[in-house]
Amino acid sequence: MKFKWITWATMLCSFVPCLWAVELPTSARSETAIAQVEPALKKALAAKGLKYGAPIFIRIFKTPGVLELWLESASGEFKHFKSYDICDFSGDLGPKVKEGDYQSPEGFYFVNAGRLNPWSQFHLSFNLGYPNRYDRYHGRTGSALMVHGNCVSIGCYAMTDSYINEIYALAVAALRAGQPYFRVHAFPFELENDALAKYRDNQWYEFWQNLKQGYDYFNEHKRPPNVEVSNGIYTFGA
């Protein structure tokens, strides 16, 4: 398999330490996909007052099966750009607990350049980084949990190839422009009070209450929170 790495230099030296280079994996497939969607994306973003290459943020909702893509605006708040229907995900509502349970994960994850896979057997993909610190604290196991194309899932969030092309292009553009990583928040559904109250007897109710704190933080501030883990609980701050 032929592949190469491109070094994208950025120097942000006015008020912050310099970021000299970000290494991004690339392939002929990813370069072709990005070239195909980039002009239309730039036009659609400009229509919403957004810039190609701005930092991105992703939210996933198993129900109704939607991936939301947000970009940072000139004001510093994140603005919704587009929602993509998820083609397929595995399992039911609730987190992934162990390798082989065929559950798609729920929780707070991040993706850096090293988690991009432009050579994926599922067209293009990026690794969510499961298990994260919370998952490991609770003894959860699993690996290679992705957002990818090809519309098939055994624990991942699968998109159509046309959708992953756009999502992947926006991710690459943001990382190339200097965003060190982008956050992906995966939820069972929109964690509004009325919706969550219907699941009061569900085994994951307390877990979802904890996720709701991060969900509410973003809805209030329009910026994804800094997520930490303390005594096995997610905590959130600026």
Side-chain angles (χ1 to χ4, degrees), residues 59-94:
R59 295 201 302 182
I60 292 172
F61 298 99
K62 288 181 174 177
T63 299
V66 168
L67 183 151
E68 294 180 349
L69 210 150
W70 299 68
L71 277 83
E72 188 175 30
S73 66
S75 70
E77 292 187 342
F78 278 72
K79 184 175 179 179
H80 179 251
F81 169 56
K82 197 169 183 179
S83 292
Y84 298 89
D85 290 338
I86 296 170
C87 191
D88 193 18
F89 70 87
S90 296
D92 301 313
L93 300 184

PDB file of all heavy atoms in Angstrom, residues 59-94:
ATOM      1  N   ARG A  59     -21.117  16.577  17.085  1.00  0.00           N
ATOM      2  CA  ARG A  59     -22.020  15.889  18.019  1.00  0.00           C
ATOM      3  C   ARG A  59     -22.729  14.771  17.269  1.00  0.00           C
ATOM      4  O   ARG A  59     -23.166  14.948  16.127  1.00  0.00           O
ATOM      5  CB  ARG A  59     -23.060  16.842  18.611  1.00  0.00           C
ATOM      6  CG  ARG A  59     -22.499  17.919  19.481  1.00  0.00           C
ATOM      7  CD  ARG A  59     -23.531  18.512  20.430  1.00  0.00           C
ATOM      8  NE  ARG A  59     -24.685  19.082  19.753  1.00  0.00           N
ATOM      9  CZ  ARG A  59     -25.691  19.698  20.390  1.00  0.00           C
ATOM     10  NH1 ARG A  59     -25.691  19.791  21.711  1.00  0.00           N
ATOM     11  NH2 ARG A  59     -26.691  20.207  19.715  1.00  0.00           N
ATOM     12  N   ILE A  60     -22.854  13.635  17.931  1.00  0.00           N
ATOM     13  CA  ILE A  60     -23.531  12.469  17.372  1.00  0.00           C
ATOM     14  C   ILE A  60     -24.715  12.117  18.267  1.00  0.00           C
ATOM     15  O   ILE A  60     -24.590  12.074  19.496  1.00  0.00           O
ATOM     16  CB  ILE A  60     -22.562  11.266  17.279  1.00  0.00           C
ATOM     17  CG1 ILE A  60     -21.483  11.539  16.219  1.00  0.00           C
ATOM     18  CG2 ILE A  60     -23.319   9.974  16.976  1.00  0.00           C
ATOM     19  CD1 ILE A  60     -20.384  10.489  16.199  1.00  0.00           C
ATOM     20  N   PHE A  61     -25.859  11.857  17.638  1.00  0.00           N
ATOM     21  CA  PHE A  61     -27.050  11.404  18.358  1.00  0.00           C
ATOM     22  C   PHE A  61     -27.518  10.090  17.735  1.00  0.00           C
ATOM     23  O   PHE A  61     -27.898  10.058  16.557  1.00  0.00           O
ATOM     24  CB  PHE A  61     -28.162  12.450  18.279  1.00  0.00           C
ATOM     25  CG  PHE A  61     -27.800  13.765  18.910  1.00  0.00           C
ATOM     26  CD1 PHE A  61     -27.375  14.828  18.139  1.00  0.00           C
ATOM     27  CD2 PHE A  61     -27.871  13.921  20.287  1.00  0.00           C
ATOM     28  CE1 PHE A  61     -27.032  16.038  18.710  1.00  0.00           C
ATOM     29  CE2 PHE A  61     -27.531  15.132  20.880  1.00  0.00           C
ATOM     30  CZ  PHE A  61     -27.112  16.189  20.093  1.00  0.00           C
ATOM     31  N   LYS A  62     -27.493   9.023  18.536  1.00  0.00           N
ATOM     32  CA  LYS A  62     -27.958   7.733  18.020  1.00  0.00           C
ATOM     33  C   LYS A  62     -29.414   7.815  17.569  1.00  0.00           C
ATOM     34  O   LYS A  62     -29.798   7.211  16.567  1.00  0.00           O
ATOM     35  CB  LYS A  62     -27.792   6.642  19.089  1.00  0.00           C
ATOM     36  CG  LYS A  62     -26.351   6.226  19.338  1.00  0.00           C
ATOM     37  CD  LYS A  62     -26.275   5.122  20.377  1.00  0.00           C
ATOM     38  CE  LYS A  62     -24.859   4.583  20.531  1.00  0.00           C
ATOM     39  NZ  LYS A  62     -24.768   3.556  21.595  1.00  0.00           N
ATOM     40  N   THR A  63     -30.222   8.490  18.354  1.00  0.00           N
ATOM     41  CA  THR A  63     -31.608   8.758  17.974  1.00  0.00           C
ATOM     42  C   THR A  63     -31.768  10.267  17.841  1.00  0.00           C
ATOM     43  O   THR A  63     -31.486  10.992  18.810  1.00  0.00           O
ATOM     44  CB  THR A  63     -32.584   8.223  19.036  1.00  0.00           C
ATOM     45  OG1 THR A  63     -32.437   6.816  19.150  1.00  0.00           O
ATOM     46  CG2 THR A  63     -34.021   8.542  18.686  1.00  0.00           C
ATOM     47  N   PRO A  64     -32.060  10.761  16.652  1.00  0.00           N
ATOM     48  CA  PRO A  64     -32.611  10.072  15.472  1.00  0.00           C
ATOM     49  C   PRO A  64     -31.585   9.599  14.451  1.00  0.00           C
ATOM     50  O   PRO A  64     -31.943   9.386  13.297  1.00  0.00           O
ATOM     51  CB  PRO A  64     -33.495  11.156  14.869  1.00  0.00           C
ATOM     52  CG  PRO A  64     -32.739  12.417  15.133  1.00  0.00           C
ATOM     53  CD  PRO A  64     -32.101  12.224  16.484  1.00  0.00           C
ATOM     54  N   GLY A  65     -30.339   9.427  14.822  1.00  0.00           N
ATOM     55  CA  GLY A  65     -29.325   8.972  13.871  1.00  0.00           C
ATOM     56  C   GLY A  65     -28.739  10.112  13.060  1.00  0.00           C
ATOM     57  O   GLY A  65     -28.797  10.121  11.841  1.00  0.00           O
ATOM     58  N   VAL A  66     -28.142  11.076  13.772  1.00  0.00           N
ATOM     59  CA  VAL A  66     -27.642  12.293  13.128  1.00  0.00           C
ATOM     60  C   VAL A  66     -26.255  12.635  13.647  1.00  0.00           C
ATOM     61  O   VAL A  66     -25.973  12.500  14.845  1.00  0.00           O
ATOM     62  CB  VAL A  66     -28.601  13.481  13.383  1.00  0.00           C
ATOM     63  CG1 VAL A  66     -27.977  14.799  12.973  1.00  0.00           C
ATOM     64  CG2 VAL A  66     -29.906  13.279  12.632  1.00  0.00           C
ATOM     65  N   LEU A  67     -25.393  13.061  12.731  1.00  0.00           N
ATOM     66  CA  LEU A  67     -24.095  13.640  13.081  1.00  0.00           C
ATOM     67  C   LEU A  67     -24.159  15.123  12.753  1.00  0.00           C
ATOM     68  O   LEU A  67     -24.391  15.499  11.611  1.00  0.00           O
ATOM     69  CB  LEU A  67     -22.970  12.958  12.306  1.00  0.00           C
ATOM     70  CG  LEU A  67     -21.530  13.387  12.598  1.00  0.00           C
ATOM     71  CD1 LEU A  67     -20.550  12.240  12.342  1.00  0.00           C
ATOM     72  CD2 LEU A  67     -21.107  14.613  11.763  1.00  0.00           C
ATOM     73  N   GLU A  68     -23.967  15.961  13.775  1.00  0.00           N
ATOM     74  CA  GLU A  68     -23.961  17.407  13.593  1.00  0.00           C
ATOM     75  C   GLU A  68     -22.535  17.910  13.458  1.00  0.00           C
ATOM     76  O   GLU A  68     -21.659  17.516  14.243  1.00  0.00           O
ATOM     77  CB  GLU A  68     -24.597  18.113  14.792  1.00  0.00           C
ATOM     78  CG  GLU A  68     -26.067  17.865  14.984  1.00  0.00           C
ATOM     79  CD  GLU A  68     -26.603  18.600  16.191  1.00  0.00           C
ATOM     80  OE1 GLU A  68     -25.791  19.133  17.003  1.00  0.00           O
ATOM     81  OE2 GLU A  68     -27.837  18.625  16.351  1.00  0.00           O
ATOM     82  N   LEU A  69     -22.303  18.815  12.523  1.00  0.00           N
ATOM     83  CA  LEU A  69     -20.988  19.410  12.363  1.00  0.00           C
ATOM     84  C   LEU A  69     -21.092  20.910  12.609  1.00  0.00           C
ATOM     85  O   LEU A  69     -21.895  21.597  11.975  1.00  0.00           O
ATOM     86  CB  LEU A  69     -20.438  19.130  10.966  1.00  0.00           C
ATOM     87  CG  LEU A  69     -18.906  19.053  10.922  1.00  0.00           C
ATOM     88  CD1 LEU A  69     -18.437  18.118   9.841  1.00  0.00           C
ATOM     89  CD2 LEU A  69     -18.292  20.426  10.761  1.00  0.00           C
ATOM     90  N   TRP A  70     -20.286  21.383  13.560  1.00  0.00           N
ATOM     91  CA  TRP A  70     -20.263  22.780  13.967  1.00  0.00           C
ATOM     92  C   TRP A  70     -18.893  23.365  13.662  1.00  0.00           C
ATOM     93  O   TRP A  70     -17.872  22.662  13.748  1.00  0.00           O
ATOM     94  CB  TRP A  70     -20.535  22.902  15.467  1.00  0.00           C
ATOM     95  CG  TRP A  70     -21.866  22.386  15.926  1.00  0.00           C
ATOM     96  CD1 TRP A  70     -22.287  21.085  15.944  1.00  0.00           C
ATOM     97  CD2 TRP A  70     -22.946  23.157  16.451  1.00  0.00           C
ATOM     98  NE1 TRP A  70     -23.567  20.990  16.441  1.00  0.00           N
ATOM     99  CE2 TRP A  70     -23.999  22.255  16.765  1.00  0.00           C
ATOM    100  CE3 TRP A  70     -23.137  24.518  16.696  1.00  0.00           C
ATOM    101  CZ2 TRP A  70     -25.207  22.678  17.313  1.00  0.00           C
ATOM    102  CZ3 TRP A  70     -24.330  24.946  17.240  1.00  0.00           C
ATOM    103  CH2 TRP A  70     -25.362  24.028  17.545  1.00  0.00           C
ATOM    104  N   LEU A  71     -18.837  24.658  13.338  1.00  0.00           N
ATOM    105  CA  LEU A  71     -17.578  25.355  13.113  1.00  0.00           C
ATOM    106  C   LEU A  71     -17.524  26.606  13.976  1.00  0.00           C
ATOM    107  O   LEU A  71     -18.554  27.260  14.223  1.00  0.00           O
ATOM    108  CB  LEU A  71     -17.399  25.752  11.651  1.00  0.00           C
ATOM    109  CG  LEU A  71     -16.847  24.671  10.719  1.00  0.00           C
ATOM    110  CD1 LEU A  71     -17.946  23.732  10.236  1.00  0.00           C
ATOM    111  CD2 LEU A  71     -16.115  25.290   9.533  1.00  0.00           C
ATOM    112  N   GLU A  72     -16.306  26.943  14.374  1.00  0.00           N
ATOM    113  CA  GLU A  72     -16.111  28.158  15.163  1.00  0.00           C
ATOM    114  C   GLU A  72     -16.287  29.381  14.268  1.00  0.00           C
ATOM    115  O   GLU A  72     -15.700  29.468  13.183  1.00  0.00           O
ATOM    116  CB  GLU A  72     -14.727  28.159  15.794  1.00  0.00           C
ATOM    117  CG  GLU A  72     -14.523  29.292  16.783  1.00  0.00           C
ATOM    118  CD  GLU A  72     -13.186  29.219  17.491  1.00  0.00           C
ATOM    119  OE1 GLU A  72     -12.219  28.703  16.881  1.00  0.00           O
ATOM    120  OE2 GLU A  72     -13.098  29.669  18.653  1.00  0.00           O
ATOM    121  N   SER A  73     -17.066  30.330  14.732  1.00  0.00           N
ATOM    122  CA  SER A  73     -17.326  31.551  13.976  1.00  0.00           C
ATOM    123  C   SER A  73     -16.353  32.642  14.403  1.00  0.00           C
ATOM    124  O   SER A  73     -15.551  32.473  15.331  1.00  0.00           O
ATOM    125  CB  SER A  73     -18.765  32.012  14.214  1.00  0.00           C
ATOM    126  OG  SER A  73     -18.940  32.398  15.574  1.00  0.00           O
ATOM    127  N   ALA A  74     -16.445  33.787  13.749  1.00  0.00           N
ATOM    128  CA  ALA A  74     -15.551  34.901  14.063  1.00  0.00           C
ATOM    129  C   ALA A  74     -15.749  35.390  15.502  1.00  0.00           C
ATOM    130  O   ALA A  74     -14.829  35.937  16.110  1.00  0.00           O
ATOM    131  CB  ALA A  74     -15.779  36.047  13.081  1.00  0.00           C
ATOM    132  N   SER A  75     -16.937  35.185  16.049  1.00  0.00           N
ATOM    133  CA  SER A  75     -17.222  35.622  17.425  1.00  0.00           C
ATOM    134  C   SER A  75     -16.615  34.701  18.475  1.00  0.00           C
ATOM    135  O   SER A  75     -16.595  35.036  19.658  1.00  0.00           O
ATOM    136  CB  SER A  75     -18.738  35.689  17.644  1.00  0.00           C
ATOM    137  OG  SER A  75     -19.306  34.375  17.664  1.00  0.00           O
ATOM    138  N   GLY A  76     -16.139  33.520  18.045  1.00  0.00           N
ATOM    139  CA  GLY A  76     -15.600  32.551  18.989  1.00  0.00           C
ATOM    140  C   GLY A  76     -16.595  31.481  19.392  1.00  0.00           C
ATOM    141  O   GLY A  76     -16.206  30.470  19.974  1.00  0.00           O
ATOM    142  N   GLU A  77     -17.874  31.711  19.078  1.00  0.00           N
ATOM    143  CA  GLU A  77     -18.882  30.684  19.335  1.00  0.00           C
ATOM    144  C   GLU A  77     -18.904  29.704  18.163  1.00  0.00           C
ATOM    145  O   GLU A  77     -18.538  30.040  17.039  1.00  0.00           O
ATOM    146  CB  GLU A  77     -20.265  31.314  19.506  1.00  0.00           C
ATOM    147  CG  GLU A  77     -20.414  32.150  20.755  1.00  0.00           C
ATOM    148  CD  GLU A  77     -21.841  32.607  20.974  1.00  0.00           C
ATOM    149  OE1 GLU A  77     -22.640  32.566  19.993  1.00  0.00           O
ATOM    150  OE2 GLU A  77     -22.171  33.019  22.096  1.00  0.00           O
ATOM    151  N   PHE A  78     -19.361  28.482  18.447  1.00  0.00           N
ATOM    152  CA  PHE A  78     -19.498  27.482  17.396  1.00  0.00           C
ATOM    153  C   PHE A  78     -20.901  27.580  16.806  1.00  0.00           C
ATOM    154  O   PHE A  78     -21.890  27.683  17.531  1.00  0.00           O
ATOM    155  CB  PHE A  78     -19.219  26.081  17.935  1.00  0.00           C
ATOM    156  CG  PHE A  78     -17.758  25.767  18.013  1.00  0.00           C
ATOM    157  CD1 PHE A  78     -16.958  26.362  18.979  1.00  0.00           C
ATOM    158  CD2 PHE A  78     -17.161  24.893  17.109  1.00  0.00           C
ATOM    159  CE1 PHE A  78     -15.599  26.090  19.054  1.00  0.00           C
ATOM    160  CE2 PHE A  78     -15.807  24.608  17.172  1.00  0.00           C
ATOM    161  CZ  PHE A  78     -15.026  25.215  18.140  1.00  0.00           C
ATOM    162  N   LYS A  79     -20.938  27.535  15.487  1.00  0.00           N
ATOM    163  CA  LYS A  79     -22.197  27.680  14.763  1.00  0.00           C
ATOM    164  C   LYS A  79     -22.480  26.397  13.987  1.00  0.00           C
ATOM    165  O   LYS A  79     -21.582  25.823  13.365  1.00  0.00           O
ATOM    166  CB  LYS A  79     -22.103  28.868  13.797  1.00  0.00           C
ATOM    167  CG  LYS A  79     -23.389  29.193  13.049  1.00  0.00           C
ATOM    168  CD  LYS A  79     -23.227  30.454  12.215  1.00  0.00           C
ATOM    169  CE  LYS A  79     -24.498  30.784  11.443  1.00  0.00           C
ATOM    170  NZ  LYS A  79     -24.339  32.026  10.641  1.00  0.00           N
ATOM    171  N   HIS A  80     -23.734  25.958  14.037  1.00  0.00           N
ATOM    172  CA  HIS A  80     -24.109  24.742  13.325  1.00  0.00           C
ATOM    173  C   HIS A  80     -23.984  24.955  11.827  1.00  0.00           C
ATOM    174  O   HIS A  80     -24.520  25.919  11.268  1.00  0.00           O
ATOM    175  CB  HIS A  80     -25.550  24.357  13.676  1.00  0.00           C
ATOM    176  CG  HIS A  80     -26.022  23.132  12.960  1.00  0.00           C
ATOM    177  ND1 HIS A  80     -26.970  23.182  11.952  1.00  0.00           N
ATOM    178  CD2 HIS A  80     -25.678  21.819  13.086  1.00  0.00           C
ATOM    179  CE1 HIS A  80     -27.200  21.968  11.506  1.00  0.00           C
ATOM    180  NE2 HIS A  80     -26.423  21.123  12.169  1.00  0.00           N
ATOM    181  N   PHE A  81     -23.254  24.049  11.180  1.00  0.00           N
ATOM    182  CA  PHE A  81     -23.101  24.118   9.729  1.00  0.00           C
ATOM    183  C   PHE A  81     -24.047  23.160   9.029  1.00  0.00           C
ATOM    184  O   PHE A  81     -24.803  23.544   8.145  1.00  0.00           O
ATOM    185  CB  PHE A  81     -21.658  23.828   9.323  1.00  0.00           C
ATOM    186  CG  PHE A  81     -21.475  23.620   7.841  1.00  0.00           C
ATOM    187  CD1 PHE A  81     -21.887  24.592   6.935  1.00  0.00           C
ATOM    188  CD2 PHE A  81     -20.912  22.450   7.350  1.00  0.00           C
ATOM    189  CE1 PHE A  81     -21.728  24.405   5.561  1.00  0.00           C
ATOM    190  CE2 PHE A  81     -20.744  22.255   5.982  1.00  0.00           C
ATOM    191  CZ  PHE A  81     -21.160  23.229   5.084  1.00  0.00           C
ATOM    192  N   LYS A  82     -24.009  21.881   9.438  1.00  0.00           N
ATOM    193  CA  LYS A  82     -24.766  20.886   8.694  1.00  0.00           C
ATOM    194  C   LYS A  82     -25.011  19.655   9.560  1.00  0.00           C
ATOM    195  O   LYS A  82     -24.203  19.320  10.425  1.00  0.00           O
ATOM    196  CB  LYS A  82     -23.982  20.488   7.439  1.00  0.00           C
ATOM    197  CG  LYS A  82     -24.782  19.791   6.362  1.00  0.00           C
ATOM    198  CD  LYS A  82     -23.958  19.711   5.074  1.00  0.00           C
ATOM    199  CE  LYS A  82     -24.745  19.083   3.937  1.00  0.00           C
ATOM    200  NZ  LYS A  82     -23.957  19.031   2.679  1.00  0.00           N
ATOM    201  N   SER A  83     -26.118  18.980   9.332  1.00  0.00           N
ATOM    202  CA  SER A  83     -26.414  17.699   9.972  1.00  0.00           C
ATOM    203  C   SER A  83     -26.414  16.609   8.906  1.00  0.00           C
ATOM    204  O   SER A  83     -27.014  16.789   7.837  1.00  0.00           O
ATOM    205  CB  SER A  83     -27.777  17.736  10.676  1.00  0.00           C
ATOM    206  OG  SER A  83     -27.753  18.605  11.786  1.00  0.00           O
ATOM    207  N   TYR A  84     -25.765  15.499   9.209  1.00  0.00           N
ATOM    208  CA  TYR A  84     -25.661  14.375   8.286  1.00  0.00           C
ATOM    209  C   TYR A  84     -26.366  13.157   8.884  1.00  0.00           C
ATOM    210  O   TYR A  84     -26.127  12.813  10.054  1.00  0.00           O
ATOM    211  CB  TYR A  84     -24.193  14.009   8.051  1.00  0.00           C
ATOM    212  CG  TYR A  84     -23.360  15.101   7.426  1.00  0.00           C
ATOM    213  CD1 TYR A  84     -22.716  16.037   8.224  1.00  0.00           C
ATOM    214  CD2 TYR A  84     -23.196  15.190   6.045  1.00  0.00           C
ATOM    215  CE1 TYR A  84     -21.923  17.037   7.667  1.00  0.00           C
ATOM    216  CE2 TYR A  84     -22.416  16.190   5.474  1.00  0.00           C
ATOM    217  CZ  TYR A  84     -21.780  17.105   6.293  1.00  0.00           C
ATOM    218  OH  TYR A  84     -21.008  18.098   5.729  1.00  0.00           O
ATOM    219  N   ASP A  85     -27.206  12.517   8.102  1.00  0.00           N
ATOM    220  CA  ASP A  85     -27.836  11.278   8.564  1.00  0.00           C
ATOM    221  C   ASP A  85     -26.772  10.196   8.715  1.00  0.00           C
ATOM    222  O   ASP A  85     -25.944   9.992   7.815  1.00  0.00           O
ATOM    223  CB  ASP A  85     -28.896  10.809   7.570  1.00  0.00           C
ATOM    224  CG  ASP A  85     -30.116  11.696   7.551  1.00  0.00           C
ATOM    225  OD1 ASP A  85     -30.353  12.400   8.553  1.00  0.00           O
ATOM    226  OD2 ASP A  85     -30.823  11.704   6.531  1.00  0.00           O
ATOM    227  N   ILE A  86     -26.800   9.527   9.857  1.00  0.00           N
ATOM    228  CA  ILE A  86     -25.912   8.380  10.072  1.00  0.00           C
ATOM    229  C   ILE A  86     -26.500   7.191   9.329  1.00  0.00           C
ATOM    230  O   ILE A  86     -27.676   6.850   9.509  1.00  0.00           O
ATOM    231  CB  ILE A  86     -25.765   8.072  11.571  1.00  0.00           C
ATOM    232  CG1 ILE A  86     -25.073   9.248  12.280  1.00  0.00           C
ATOM    233  CG2 ILE A  86     -24.987   6.781  11.797  1.00  0.00           C
ATOM    234  CD1 ILE A  86     -25.087   9.148  13.789  1.00  0.00           C
ATOM    235  N   CYS A  87     -25.692   6.565   8.504  1.00  0.00           N
ATOM    236  CA  CYS A  87     -26.171   5.456   7.693  1.00  0.00           C
ATOM    237  C   CYS A  87     -26.443   4.221   8.546  1.00  0.00           C
ATOM    238  O   CYS A  87     -27.411   3.509   8.344  1.00  0.00           O
ATOM    239  CB  CYS A  87     -25.137   5.145   6.607  1.00  0.00           C
ATOM    240  SG  CYS A  87     -25.725   4.015   5.348  1.00  0.00           S
ATOM    241  N   ASP A  88     -25.557   3.991   9.548  1.00  0.00           N
ATOM    242  CA  ASP A  88     -25.710   2.801  10.387  1.00  0.00           C
ATOM    243  C   ASP A  88     -24.852   2.966  11.630  1.00  0.00           C
ATOM    244  O   ASP A  88     -23.788   3.586  11.599  1.00  0.00           O
ATOM    245  CB  ASP A  88     -25.269   1.552   9.618  1.00  0.00           C
ATOM    246  CG  ASP A  88     -25.691   0.255  10.308  1.00  0.00           C
ATOM    247  OD1 ASP A  88     -26.597   0.307  11.165  1.00  0.00           O
ATOM    248  OD2 ASP A  88     -25.112  -0.797   9.987  1.00  0.00           O
ATOM    249  N   PHE A  89     -25.339   2.425  12.767  1.00  0.00           N
ATOM    250  CA  PHE A  89     -24.507   2.242  13.957  1.00  0.00           C
ATOM    251  C   PHE A  89     -24.930   0.950  14.619  1.00  0.00           C
ATOM    252  O   PHE A  89     -25.991   0.404  14.323  1.00  0.00           O
ATOM    253  CB  PHE A  89     -24.612   3.440  14.928  1.00  0.00           C
ATOM    254  CG  PHE A  89     -25.947   3.563  15.627  1.00  0.00           C
ATOM    255  CD1 PHE A  89     -26.198   2.886  16.811  1.00  0.00           C
ATOM    256  CD2 PHE A  89     -26.943   4.372  15.107  1.00  0.00           C
ATOM    257  CE1 PHE A  89     -27.418   3.001  17.456  1.00  0.00           C
ATOM    258  CE2 PHE A  89     -28.175   4.494  15.733  1.00  0.00           C
ATOM    259  CZ  PHE A  89     -28.409   3.810  16.912  1.00  0.00           C
ATOM    260  N   SER A  90     -24.096   0.449  15.511  1.00  0.00           N
ATOM    261  CA  SER A  90     -24.338  -0.885  16.078  1.00  0.00           C
ATOM    262  C   SER A  90     -24.977  -0.798  17.453  1.00  0.00           C
ATOM    263  O   SER A  90     -24.721   0.128  18.232  1.00  0.00           O
ATOM    264  CB  SER A  90     -23.018  -1.658  16.189  1.00  0.00           C
ATOM    265  OG  SER A  90     -22.471  -1.885  14.920  1.00  0.00           O
ATOM    266  N   GLY A  91     -25.782  -1.793  17.763  1.00  0.00           N
ATOM    267  CA  GLY A  91     -26.314  -1.946  19.106  1.00  0.00           C
ATOM    268  C   GLY A  91     -27.500  -1.047  19.399  1.00  0.00           C
ATOM    269  O   GLY A  91     -28.211  -0.584  18.509  1.00  0.00           O
ATOM    270  N   ASP A  92     -27.693  -0.800  20.700  1.00  0.00           N
ATOM    271  CA  ASP A  92     -28.838  -0.048  21.192  1.00  0.00           C
ATOM    272  C   ASP A  92     -28.379   1.240  21.850  1.00  0.00           C
ATOM    273  O   ASP A  92     -27.193   1.576  21.846  1.00  0.00           O
ATOM    274  CB  ASP A  92     -29.609  -0.901  22.203  1.00  0.00           C
ATOM    275  CG  ASP A  92     -30.107  -2.213  21.605  1.00  0.00           C
ATOM    276  OD1 ASP A  92     -30.669  -2.165  20.499  1.00  0.00           O
ATOM    277  OD2 ASP A  92     -29.911  -3.265  22.236  1.00  0.00           O
ATOM    278  N   LEU A  93     -29.308   1.961  22.453  1.00  0.00           N
ATOM    279  CA  LEU A  93     -28.939   3.102  23.265  1.00  0.00           C
ATOM    280  C   LEU A  93     -28.136   2.621  24.466  1.00  0.00           C
ATOM    281  O   LEU A  93     -28.448   1.606  25.079  1.00  0.00           O
ATOM    282  CB  LEU A  93     -30.196   3.840  23.743  1.00  0.00           C
ATOM    283  CG  LEU A  93     -31.118   4.401  22.658  1.00  0.00           C
ATOM    284  CD1 LEU A  93     -32.261   5.185  23.303  1.00  0.00           C
ATOM    285  CD2 LEU A  93     -30.365   5.274  21.672  1.00  0.00           C
ATOM    286  N   GLY A  94     -27.086   3.362  24.789  1.00  0.00           N
ATOM    287  CA  GLY A  94     -26.195   2.966  25.873  1.00  0.00           C
ATOM    288  C   GLY A  94     -24.761   2.872  25.398  1.00  0.00           C
ATOM    289  O   GLY A  94     -24.500   2.727  24.201  1.00  0.00           O
TER     290      GLY A  94
END
